[in-house]
Amino acid sequence: MENVTQIAQLTINGMSIGAIYGLVALGLVLTYKSTEVLNFAHGDVLMFSAFLGWGLIEGLGASFWLALPAAAIVAAAATWLLEQRVVRIIAGQPQFAGVMLTIGLAFMIRGMVSMGFGPESRNFTTPWAGQISHVGGIVIADLNLIIIAVTLVITAGLYGFLTRSAVGVAIQAASQNQLAAYLSGIRVKRLNSLVWGISGAIAAVSGMLLAPITMVDIGLWAVLLKGLAALVLGGFGSVRGAIVGGLLIGLIEQFSGVFLPDGFKDVMAYLVLIGVLIVWPRGLFSEAHGRRV
Amino acid sequence: MSAPLLTVEHLSVSFGGVKAVDDVSFQVGSGEIFAIIGPNGAGKTSIFNLVTRVFEAGGGRVTMRGKDITRVPRNDIVRFGIARTFQNIELFEGASVLDNLLLGRHRFPTGNLLQQIFYTPRVRHAEDAARDRAEDIIALLDLAPHRNSPVAGLPYGVRKVVEIGRALAAEPELLLLDEPASGLNPEETRDLAFWIEDIKKDMGITVVMVEHDMSLVAETADRVMVMNMGRVLTTGTPQQVQSHPEVVAAYLGA
Amino acid sequence: MRFPYDTAYADSRRLLRFTGQKLSYGALLLLLCAAPFVLPRFYVGELTYLFIFCLASLGLMVLTGYTGLVSLGHAAFVGIGAYTHAWLLGHGVPLFISLALAATASGIMGVVIGVPAIRISGLYLAIVTLAFSVLVEHAMGRWVSVTGGFSGLSVPAPEVFGVSLGGPKAFYFLCLACLILVLLGLINLTRTRPGRALVGVRDSEAAARSLGIHVAGYKVLAFKLSAAICGLAGGLMAHQTRFLTPEAFSMMLSMQLLLAVVIGGLGSLRGAILGAIVISLLPTAISHLKPLLSARLAGQSGLEVFMFGLVLTAFVLFEPKGINGRWLKVKAFFEYFPLYRRDTFRRTKAYMRSERYK
């Protein structure tokens, strides 16, 4: 039936763009949980990595699967340094300072990319350009499969890392009670830089996966806003929530594009964000906090 | 004791299965100094939080001068004549000492918004009156050298005193002091004892304090209530309580 | 050294306490009044834009600096004021009434955001305001019947009782008058009870509630006032640019306003003005810088964005109290000379502050 195919198509598209939103939110959650800084420069790191990837693929002729990890490593190193040299300076100050600092860094990155690469949108070739597969009678662009697959790999890998490895458990400990972690001998500062580095790598992967859909363009940074919507929906501070929130936002967007009047698709994410914060501020999977007076 | 000022009846609250306050009842008479002591986690600050509506009571009643205040909105409590200090100082860090005290007088209106924007003579007189009252408190608590200093840079002992001053600025009938002597050196504690006496005698304010410093309690309190694990152990004069066997076992030590 | 010697309570509250202050502010006023008759037309226009930007900056300062509610999308209120004003003018409403109504409309929108904002704290509020401004910009583009959409809306020149205020000098004085009136109103607000209450809400909601401050009410008031002031600024901006498009009220304007209040120094009206001056002068300064750089670097708006980021980052890292903070330190140096101690303003480093558990 045509309707079923349409719904299945929308679902796949929604899940694939939603997976990217989820990855963006995941990167934000990691830095927020470890350093209590909401990294407003995350979208710009993503954008920078996409440009870097473009430079590697179209400029140096590298393949996508080489450029992806390369961009990830560069982004990870850059965000590691950023945390170590810049963000650490404002540790202990109110959250507002972190917001302002990362906004400032975001502008700097955006300005540098704009000056260095120029304002035109561009594209890079991917090994699966234009290829499609047939799954259960539905036509799926290979791009979507790749995106979903990579997201699964990253999420599973991160989950395993955080829960099974010593470093991962230490990261969790430091995010729950920094002082106790210090006193237990955990190198908290170094772990914070590591988490930021991981977040940067995730941003790079998100950017490289997003660019084939929306082109390599300065405006890529705005996916940060969708990531924020995903974060709010899933519940601030929740890793599960980030991914689930992202998938939901992606699905909501796709379905509203078809079933709601024109113009709603662009702003559905923000309507959801505002709606969630008004009605159910804790989101889907949040942790309860309270302040003792 | 004449008609009690504050009556607490069967008050209780639980947090996730833990009974922080379990069927607590007591009365505070007008003009007396009432101390609540007990080990940490006994529920002492929770009582304060219940009376001032920071927490929602799970059961029981709180009456002030005969009026039931168990469910009134949190920012209305001060109008019933109750002011408090906080265990971990909650001062307005961005303001000066004087501004903190003036904020203590918030419950006395000075005019509507339009009059304030135009700074009418009525507002000016109200501001002068407020300043006058604040200066009385500054004089009482020896805060004159710090009058215009931002609160954030002041020594801990001074900050505690500013918080007491701010509560006094609201002209309460009942003053709740949450561990006023914690972190103070012996000299500052001695000053505090004198101030509490002044507050009782000169200003006629009833004081309820949560305290760990037994010497301060013995010196100033008229009656003491001992709590443990959310429940009241006993109530009496400081001497009675200090020799009570259960109190000694739970809190004071031999 | 300067010794404030007060003989009455009113002295400490006085705006112009010392002779030096009276002289310098008086001279400033004279200069500002003389400027349009002396300067070329372009600079008069620049100063007019500066006044409008100062007005909007004051609006944001009331909300973010004094009440501690962060708004990343304040351009929305400026835009709402601008479009409302233009629409009302187009329907024949007299100038001052239209400005007042535009400010009111913006204020109402402020309440619309303010009421849900009561329960939402810091970071969430910042995100909500960001989303809100994206929505408003989107609506401005799509509500073509009212706003003219992306093709824009032209704004009639301002006139009162047939006398045109659209000329550069007349409009300059209109904007200057609005700025001074709003500034005086805010100065009065901040030195009386509601101003103190806003600071109380910012610094400790728990203590504020225990003192009888109706926290929710003051948060809504802050939003209402802030939005209304920005709405007024928007109405004036409509005349300044003479042609409205949604892009003028994008995130860039929100960020510029935020930069102005942060760089200027949160919590002070002087800071709002100083920050506004720096931010509105920055593009001009950058365009003077461009000839010194290579053609490629200077090419696009990237340089401007980069410079904004650099200035913001530098202030957050090295001078968090903003220009106002620096001003106060310099003033203290002269007031306490020769007994000034450099470490008076040294910041103690805090490591363990956690706002997540608030």
Side-chain angles (χ1 to χ4, degrees):
Chain A
M1 262 193 303
E2 227 211 53
N3 255 348
V4 175
T5 348
Q6 189 191 41
I7 292 188
Q9 202 69 55
L10 287 175
T11 311
I12 295 290
N13 288 346
M15 288 190 62
S16 102
I17 191 81
I20 294 181
Y21 294 160
L23 281 181
V24 174
L26 185 60
L28 288 172
V29 159
L30 287 175
T31 55
Y32 180 71
K33 284 194 83 162
S34 67
T35 51
E36 289 191 9
V37 173
L38 188 60
N39 184 12
F40 274 86
H42 193 74
D44 293 84
V45 173
L46 184 154
M47 181 250 301
F48 166 73
S49 314
F51 272 89
L52 191 62
W54 174 86
L56 290 172
I57 295 177
E58 299 295 328
L60 296 180
S63 85
F64 179 86
W65 294 111
L66 189 60
L68 181 71
I73 292 173
V74 172
T79 39
W80 173 300
L81 275 176
L82 217 57
E83 198 284 329
Q84 197 183 40
R85 300 283 151 171
V86 181
V87 178
R88 200 174 286 182
I89 299 179
I90 55 148
Q93 288 185 29
Q95 272 178 343
F96 182 65
V99 170
M100 288 288 103
L101 180 64
T102 49
I103 289 180
L105 292 172
F107 275 27
M108 285 175 73
I109 298 175
R110 209 173 305 168
M112 282 196 289
V113 170
S114 184
M115 287 193 286
F117 286 89
E120 322 87 47
S121 315
R122 49 203 89 192
N123 248 320
F124 52 66
T125 49
T126 52
W128 58 80
Q131 286 175 17
I132 52 178
S133 312
H134 293 263
V135 177
I138 318 167
V139 174
I140 309 178
D142 273 6
L143 174 63
N144 292 342
L145 290 175
I146 302 276
I147 291 175
I148 297 179
V150 171
T151 306
L152 279 174
V153 166
I154 291 183
T155 317
L158 200 62
Y159 179 76
F161 171 66
L162 284 177
T163 50
R164 302 285 157 83
S165 78
V167 178
V169 173
I171 289 175
Q172 284 199 64
S175 84
Q176 285 177 23
N177 190 332
Q178 216 180 51
L179 185 56
Y182 267 112
L183 295 173
S184 311
I186 295 177
R187 317 266 292 261
V188 173
K189 287 187 193 171
R190 193 172 280 201
L191 283 182
N192 284 345
S193 301
L194 176 63
V195 171
W196 274 68
I198 295 176
S199 166
I202 294 180
V205 172
S206 328
M208 293 292 287
L209 290 176
L210 182 60
I213 302 181
T214 55
M215 302 231 282
V216 178
D217 181 81
I218 304 282
L220 272 181
W221 75 265
V223 75
L224 170 77
L225 303 173
K226 305 286 175 73
L228 284 175
L231 199 56
V232 164
L233 179 57
F236 240 85
S238 163
V239 172
R240 272 183 296 171
I243 298 288
V244 172
L247 290 172
L248 283 175
I249 298 276
L251 286 168
I252 292 174
E253 267 190 359
Q254 288 298 310
F255 277 89
S256 64
V258 170
F259 292 110
L260 285 182
D262 194 35
F264 267 92
K265 180 178 174 201
D266 305 326
V267 294
M268 269 326 276
Y270 311 117
L271 286 172
V272 168
L273 188 156
I274 295 182
V276 167
L277 279 180
I278 293 177
V279 173
W280 188 241
R282 305 227 312 241
L284 295 172
F285 297 100
S286 79
E287 314 156 349
H289 298 310
R291 183 169 194 214
R292 307 188 69 198
V293 278
Chain B
M1 188 165 59
S2 50
L5 189 65
L6 179 75
T7 314
V8 172
E9 295 163 301
H10 305 295
L11 196 60
S12 50
V13 74
S14 309
F15 296 113
V18 174
K19 285 203 174 146
V21 173
D22 190 2
D23 196 28
V24 168
S25 304
F26 63 92
Q27 286 180 340
V28 181
S30 182
E32 76 168 333
I33 296 180
F34 188 80
I36 305 179
I37 67 174
N40 279 320
K44 312 187 293 294
T45 301
S46 303
I47 300 257
F48 274 14
N49 284 340
L50 283 166
V51 170
T52 55
R53 302 282 295 125
V54 176
F55 294 158
E56 191 76 31
R61 218 160 69 113
V62 180
T63 334
M64 172 78 179
R65 281 216 178 280
K67 294 187 219 128
D68 189 338
I69 58 168
T70 330
R71 304 266 167 223
V72 304
R74 203 164 143 184
N75 48 276
D76 277 345
I77 284 291
V78 76
R79 288 200 282 116
F80 285 92
I82 303 177
R84 73 172 289 184
T85 64
F86 295 87
Q87 193 172 14
N88 304 314
I89 302 177
E90 292 271 339
L91 283 174
F92 302 117
E93 302 289 334
S96 65
V97 168
L98 183 60
D99 281 333
N100 270 271
L101 296 180
L102 287 174
L103 259 165
R105 296 198 57 79
H106 183 90
R107 74 161 171 127
F108 303 107
T110 61
N112 63 41
L113 191 65
L114 223 51
Q115 289 171 331
Q116 277 148 352
I117 290 180
F118 285 104
Y119 206 52
T120 60
R122 175 193 165 154
V123 170
R124 264 175 266 190
H125 288 140
E127 287 287 318
D128 278 342
R131 175 71 187 269
D132 212 24
R133 299 267 74 77
E135 287 294 335
D136 290 342
I137 294 174
I138 289 177
L140 171 70
L141 299 176
D142 297 330
L143 289 172
H146 309 290
R147 186 189 285 113
N148 291 314
S149 313
V151 139
L154 292 176
Y156 184 80
V158 178
R159 284 153 62 88
K160 283 226 104 157
V161 172
V162 171
E163 216 192 10
I164 296 177
R166 188 182 64 182
L168 287 175
E171 291 183 21
E173 291 180 65
L174 178 65
L175 183 63
L176 304 177
L177 298 175
D178 201 341
E179 301 201 23
S182 89
L184 297 185
N185 63 38
E187 187 182 317
E188 288 165 332
T189 313
R190 232 187 346 263
D191 285 338
L192 180 66
F194 284 134
W195 282 327
I196 293 179
E197 284 290 320
D198 284 344
I199 290 172
K200 167 182 158 171
K201 293 216 184 77
D202 299 340
M203 301 173 83
I205 297 177
T206 311
V207 176
V208 178
M209 61 177 176
V210 166
E211 203 26 86
H212 285 292
D213 187 334
M214 287 314 299
S215 64
L216 179 65
V217 171
E219 197 178 320
T220 53
D222 296 319
R223 280 195 309 139
V224 179
M225 176 172 89
V226 187
M227 285 184 69
N228 191 22
M229 305 229 274
R231 291 208 201 87
V232 178
L233 262 186
T234 184
T235 313
T237 67
Q239 291 71 35
Q240 288 171 336
V241 153
Q242 263 169 335
S243 45
H244 194 284
E246 276 183 60
V247 173
V248 171
Y251 182 48
L252 291 174
Chain C
M1 290 186 77
R2 180 149 74 180
F3 298 97
Y5 191 68
D6 299 335
T7 48
Y9 291 142
D11 285 348
S12 65
R13 289 195 309 266
R14 207 180 293 284
L15 288 183
L16 299 172
R17 219 154 129 203
F18 307 107
T19 337
Q21 279 180 332
K22 291 182 191 159
L23 283 178
S24 46
Y25 282 109
L28 180 65
L29 191 60
L30 274 173
L31 277 174
L32 286 176
C33 288
F37 301 102
V38 173
L39 292 173
R41 185 184 170 132
F42 172 73
Y43 288 110
V44 177
E46 289 288 292
L47 274 176
T48 314
Y49 179 73
L50 174 64
F51 295 153
I52 297 174
F53 195 75
C54 282
L55 200 54
S57 174
L58 282 172
L60 184 57
M61 184 58 86
V62 169
L63 186 67
T64 302
Y66 279 92
T67 323
L69 301 170
V70 179
S71 170
L72 294 180
H74 235 56
F77 297 118
V78 181
I80 290 172
Y83 274 104
T84 312
H85 181 60
W87 189 83
L88 287 171
L89 278 184
H91 283 74
V93 179
L95 178 72
F96 287 117
I97 300 188
S98 174
L99 277 176
L101 285 177
T104 315
S106 236
I108 294 176
M109 281 313 281
V111 174
V112 165
I113 275 289
V115 168
I118 293 169
R119 291 191 300 148
I120 308 175
S121 76
L123 207 50
Y124 292 137
L125 184 62
I127 299 175
V128 164
T129 49
L130 193 57
F132 173 70
S133 89
V134 171
L135 282 176
V136 168
E137 199 191 331
H138 192 80
M140 287 195 288
R142 294 206 143 247
W143 203 4
V144 184
S145 56
V146 167
T147 64
F150 288 101
S151 27
L153 182 70
S154 73
V155 183
E159 61 166 48
V160 177
F161 304 122
V163 176
S164 171
L165 292 176
K169 290 199 192 62
F171 190 57
Y172 172 97
F173 281 112
L174 176 63
C175 294
L176 181 59
C178 286
L179 176 61
I180 291 180
L181 285 174
V182 169
L183 186 58
L184 286 175
L186 285 180
I187 289 176
N188 285 337
L189 193 76
T190 52
R191 59 178 172 165
T192 55
R193 186 170 166 263
R196 288 192 292 262
L198 291 179
V199 172
V201 167
R202 176 190 75 194
D203 285 341
S204 172
E205 278 187 34
R209 285 206 176 91
S210 76
L211 294 170
I213 295 174
H214 193 233
V215 168
Y218 276 101
K219 282 187 178 178
V220 172
L221 174 69
F223 261 103
K224 198 169 25 170
L225 205 53
S226 172
I229 295 174
C230 285
L232 176 63
L236 291 173
M237 193 180 290
H239 288 302
Q240 170 79 354
T241 55
R242 296 208 195 126
F243 192 76
L244 293 176
T245 52
E247 283 98 36
F249 306 106
S250 66
M251 212 169 299
M252 195 57 191
L253 180 62
S254 294
M255 286 301 144
Q256 283 179 322
L257 284 174
L258 194 60
L259 251 78
V261 300
V262 171
I263 289 175
L266 286 172
S268 82
L269 297 174
R270 184 191 301 119
I273 305 279
L274 292 176
I277 293 176
V278 169
I279 293 298
S280 55
L281 284 183
L282 207 52
T284 330
I286 293 172
S287 60
H288 284 304
L289 207 65
K290 278 190 183 178
L292 300 173
L293 298 169
S294 80
R296 174 96 169 289
L297 276 182
Q300 40 278 346
S301 64
L303 182 61
E304 208 172 280
V305 175
F306 177 78
M307 288 304 292
F308 274 123
L310 186 61
V311 172
L312 178 59
T313 309
F315 267 92
V316 171
L317 290 177
F318 303 119
E319 188 65 80
K321 286 208 165 36
I323 302 179
N324 185 57
R326 188 46 57 180
W327 172 295
L328 290 175
K329 289 177 195 174
V330 171
K331 201 166 77 136
F333 176 78
F334 285 110
E335 277 183 2
Y336 290 113
F337 187 86
L339 300 176
Y340 175 78
R341 290 165 299 175
R342 204 161 24 124
D343 282 352
T344 310
F345 296 101
R346 181 173 287 267
R347 294 176 276 152
T348 52
K349 199 155 165 70
Y351 290 96
M352 299 316 312
R353 184 90 192 264
S354 179
E355 272 184 39
R356 261 189 290 171
Y357 301 99
K358 228 178 198 175

